[in-house]
Amino acid sequence: MRLRILQFAAVVTAASAAALSGARADDAPTAMLIVDGSGSMWGRLAPDNKPKIDVVREKLATILQTPSSTRVGLVSFGHRRRGDCNDVELIASPDSERAALLGPLAKLNPRGPGPVTAALEIAADAIGTSRPAQIIIVGDGADNCQRDSCAAANDFAKSAPGVAVQVIGIGVPATERPRIACVAQATGGRYYDVTDSAGLNAALDEATKLAILAPGAPAVAAKPNEPAAPPPPAGATLRASANLAEGSPLLTVPMRWSIFKAGEKDIAGRSTGPDISAKLAAGSYDIEVELGSIVARRQITVTDGGAESIIIPIDAAHLKVNAIAAKGSAPSETATMTVAAGDKPVGLARNGVIDLYLPPADYTVTIADGVAHASRAVSLSAGDVKTENVTLGTGRVELSATTGANGVAPDDLIYTIYEDDPESPNGRREVARSHASEASFVLPSGTYYASARSGAADVRQRIAIGAGETVKQTLTLALAPLKLSTVVAGSPATAAQGIVYRIDKADGDKARIARAVGPEAAFSLPPGRYKVSATLAAYPLSTSQDITLEGGKPVEATLRIEGGMVSFRPPAEIATSDVYWEVMDSSGTPVWRKTGREAKTLLAPGRYKVRVESQSTRRETDFDVRAGETKEVEIGRG
């Protein structure tokens, strides 16, 4: 192999020495070649299984034999000593004859490490102040000699603006790629990510055309200070990224990507992520990216053996709005936010943060948090990245309630927040209400009155709240538990009897306080005197008694309804079922009525008269009822 390389170099040198010699022109373009001489360059490339260094040497030999006015120099590293990070050599200065490059290039014997950064510095020194100028780096890895190539490239771009560095990466691992691609990005050059010999030859053709054969041609890479398109990963022929507008940073959020064959609807590739990579056959393709409601598309052409990297501007802006209670506080998790363009809503969030990518336009952001409201007008242009913090000046009131009896909140609690309002009839206006057992209110900073009400009990407390504060308050309702039951005619009341309990104030306005239905009932009432009544819905019986309640002292009361069960038998001459019954008390007041042949009721102790009527008969009978008895009353002939 080594003999073949030496023979190749001798032939090239002899055949082209005259053609390659030429006088230096003061305004001639300058190019520096940096060829990787590290040991890994002996690795082989598909499909012809040639070593990487051989493909590079043969292609560069052909290019360097092509006449041009460009002054070309050569730097290599790692080609003389193993494990020596100082093994960097300026093989030929830009003033050298072309033959001074071809011979050493043919003899390169990769063996050492890869001090790429040091090689870049030597090439930059060799260029000096010559302009126009470019540098081409050809290698298979990033710097592995503890140097920061990205920082060196940034410094070089500042000291030598306009000097682009084209970087050809031969199968560079994905983990290393950013540490070498950044050199091209920082200087306005292009990074070529190649994985086979065809791609390497194509990249060398394009890079040397820009730097040596046709210097001054428009560069395909990004301008200085603009993001460079990330190269495709190994095995891919395309990588597409996106940004908000030309020159803005690359987007890193997930987006929906689709690849179409140009002019067709069938999808050739689809992915979700910050970019898309694909291996595509030669041809033209439409690349489409979607971010929310924004859709952008660009057409590219993939060539045989080529690798394309593009950035698609989506012509959009990034808006983030935080609704905060006070300066420096976290976004309010209870705030609802809407974004609208004119009268058309375009976004909604319920956690105090809205994060949207939007087309350029004028927008209105509206925020509601509890009873607090705010709005903000925002004008967006393509490429804008805006973060707005809208301070609501709110605080939070958290209310709970307890009773003096057992500390448990009543089931019928209602919390109400009032504020002073001179125009209201009672001087205060309700601003919020909650039926939760524990209530939370978001309120503008100020002074309020918090109320907890259960049945007839109502307690109020004045509360002051500042922006960003959380005030927790437990309101104590002075209630007395009252449990009622009823005994009817000596036996506990049943559901079928339809017991109705009513509680009225015994003093003052004697207003109705509470009502319940069932054999038993439980109430929580403020201290005071009450009239408690129990009425049978199924029978004409009732009872009542006065009860006095003291705060925190439970009371159990049993009401007693005395009576006897009476059944009535009609006269024998009444054979029809069309019978009407009426019972009157001793004062002649009707207390019970019924139709039908069977008649039975529960009556309070006392003297009664029963009347029975049919179509042709009317009879009356007097009878007495004693507590607890069960009797039958037969109505005879008149």
Side-chain angles (χ1 to χ4, degrees):
M1 173 65 75
R2 190 166 180 80
L3 177 61
R4 184 181 66 79
I5 293 172
L6 293 174
Q7 290 172 341
F8 168 76
V11 171
V12 171
T13 302
S16 58
L20 299 179
S21 62
R24 172 185 172 183
D26 290 340
D27 58 350
T30 299
M32 289 297 299
L33 293 171
I34 300 176
V35 178
D36 188 344
S38 64
S40 58
M41 287 294 285
W42 286 116
R44 296 178 180 272
L45 290 175
D48 48 13
N49 203 33
K50 277 188 177 181
K52 289 178 268 187
I53 188 62
D54 283 356
V55 178
V56 172
R57 282 190 291 215
E58 291 175 14
K59 187 65 176 180
L60 287 180
T62 301
I63 292 169
L64 290 172
Q65 291 179 83
T66 303
S68 72
S69 62
T70 303
R71 302 163 55 236
V72 183
L74 176 64
V75 173
S76 188
F77 54 84
H79 59 296
R80 296 176 297 184
R81 297 180 296 275
R82 298 182 188 277
D84 185 357
C85 281
N86 294 316
D87 184 11
V88 183
E89 180 185 10
L90 175 62
I91 295 174
S93 71
D95 292 326
S96 304
E97 300 288 341
R98 294 287 178 88
L101 282 71
L102 290 172
L105 182 62
K107 297 176 184 179
L108 281 180
N109 184 22
R111 66 182 71 187
V116 178
T117 308
L120 176 62
E121 293 170 343
I122 288 178
D125 290 340
I127 289 174
T129 59
S130 298
R131 299 292 185 275
Q134 289 195 45
I135 297 173
I136 300 175
I137 300 176
V138 187
D140 64 354
D143 189 299
N144 58 12
C145 287
Q146 310 301 315
R147 294 289 304 279
D148 188 343
S149 300
C150 299
N154 286 326
D155 293 340
F156 176 64
K158 294 176 183 177
S159 62
V163 180
V165 180
Q166 316 292 346
V167 180
I168 300 174
I170 310 170
V172 178
T175 55
E176 294 185 26
R177 201 174 295 137
R179 296 194 293 114
I180 187 64
C182 65
V183 175
Q185 180 178 345
T187 59
R190 177 172 178 177
Y191 179 79
Y192 301 82
D193 188 55
V194 299
T195 58
D196 55 26
S197 58
L200 177 55
N201 280 308
L204 285 167
D205 278 335
E206 185 172 317
T208 55
K209 179 179 179 181
L210 293 173
I212 300 174
L213 302 181
V220 295
K223 298 177 182 179
N225 302 321
E226 291 187 357
T237 55
L238 166 72
R239 186 171 188 172
S241 307
N243 57 4
L244 293 174
E246 292 282 358
S248 65
L250 297 182
L251 292 170
T252 59
V253 295
M255 294 169 279
R256 293 182 61 191
W257 296 87
S258 300
I259 301 175
F260 304 88
K261 191 74 174 177
E264 299 180 6
K265 294 183 179 180
D266 292 340
I267 295 177
R270 176 166 283 175
S271 178
T272 299
D275 55 32
I276 187 172
S277 297
K279 185 173 183 179
L280 302 173
S284 295
Y285 296 88
D286 290 325
I287 314 299
E288 184 177 271
V289 57
E290 298 179 51
L291 181 56
S293 62
I294 300 164
V295 180
R297 180 177 283 218
R298 174 165 291 186
Q299 188 173 99
I300 66 160
T301 299
V302 176
T303 59
D304 282 331
E308 295 295 329
S309 296
I310 64 169
I311 300 174
I312 302 178
I314 64 173
D315 189 30
H318 184 194
L319 175 64
K320 185 175 181 179
V321 181
N322 301 312
I324 57 177
K327 185 177 180 180
S329 63
S332 171
E333 295 182 355
T334 56
T336 299
M337 309 172 69
T338 58
V339 177
D343 58 356
K344 180 181 178 182
V346 296
L348 171 68
R350 301 183 184 278
N351 60 353
V353 177
I354 201 159
D355 194 339
L356 295 173
Y357 290 85
L358 300 168
D362 293 329
Y363 296 92
T364 301
V365 181
T366 304
I367 303 168
D369 195 3
V371 299
H373 295 80
S375 64
R376 180 73 58 88
V378 180
S379 181
L380 298 178
S381 301
D384 282 350
V385 178
K386 289 190 176 181
T387 298
E388 301 273 347
N389 290 322
V390 179
T391 303
L392 301 172
T394 55
R396 186 179 298 274
V397 175
E398 296 181 357
L399 297 179
S400 60
T402 184
T403 65
N406 53 18
V408 177
D411 293 335
D412 61 343
L413 263 177
I414 299 176
Y415 296 101
T416 309
I417 301 292
Y418 300 90
E419 67 178 359
D420 289 325
D421 183 1
E423 297 182 1
S424 295
N426 60 358
R428 291 179 186 169
R429 179 174 63 90
E430 179 182 324
V431 297
R433 176 179 290 201
S434 174
H435 292 268
S437 59
E438 294 184 352
S440 179
F441 302 93
V442 176
L443 304 166
S445 58
T447 301
Y448 299 89
Y449 302 90
S451 163
R453 179 162 54 89
S454 172
D458 189 356
V459 59
R460 300 193 181 195
Q461 187 163 326
R462 187 172 181 269
I463 294 177
I465 185 170
E469 290 184 350
T470 297
V471 176
K472 297 183 179 182
Q473 190 67 50
T474 298
L475 303 176
T476 300
L477 290 159
L479 298 177
L482 173 62
K483 185 175 182 180
L484 298 177
S485 61
T486 302
V487 172
V488 179
S491 300
T494 64
Q497 292 170 332
I499 297 288
V500 178
Y501 293 101
R502 284 187 287 268
I503 300 178
D504 300 280
K505 284 186 177 180
D507 301 318
D509 57 7
K510 299 184 179 180
R512 177 67 47 80
I513 299 300
R515 182 178 183 274
V517 176
E520 296 182 345
F523 305 90
S524 292
L525 302 172
R529 290 182 62 246
Y530 299 93
K531 181 180 180 180
V532 179
S533 302
T535 300
L536 292 180
Y539 303 105
L541 297 177
S542 65
T543 188
S544 64
Q545 69 181 67
D546 289 344
I547 295 177
T548 299
L549 299 178
E550 298 180 16
K553 293 184 178 181
V555 173
E556 294 188 12
T558 299
L559 283 73
R560 297 185 177 276
I561 297 179
E562 301 294 347
M565 183 63 68
V566 181
S567 58
F568 301 99
R569 180 185 297 177
E573 67 267 25
I574 299 178
T576 179
S577 61
D578 186 13
V579 180
Y580 171 76
W581 300 89
E582 183 177 58
V583 175
M584 295 157 285
D585 63 15
S586 58
S587 66
T589 303
V591 296
W592 180 78
R593 293 185 178 94
K594 189 179 183 301
T595 59
R597 190 169 181 83
E598 298 295 328
K600 184 178 182 180
T601 187
L602 187 68
L603 297 172
R607 182 73 174 170
Y608 295 92
K609 181 188 292 291
V610 58
R611 177 186 301 129
V612 59
E613 295 182 7
S614 65
Q615 292 180 350
S616 58
T617 304
R618 176 175 176 173
R619 298 285 187 267
E620 292 183 355
T621 299
D622 294 328
F623 65 96
D624 294 316
V625 176
R626 292 190 296 272
E629 75 171 333
T630 299
K631 66 185 299 183
E632 182 179 72
V633 176
E634 181 177 0
I635 304 176
R637 295 178 181 272

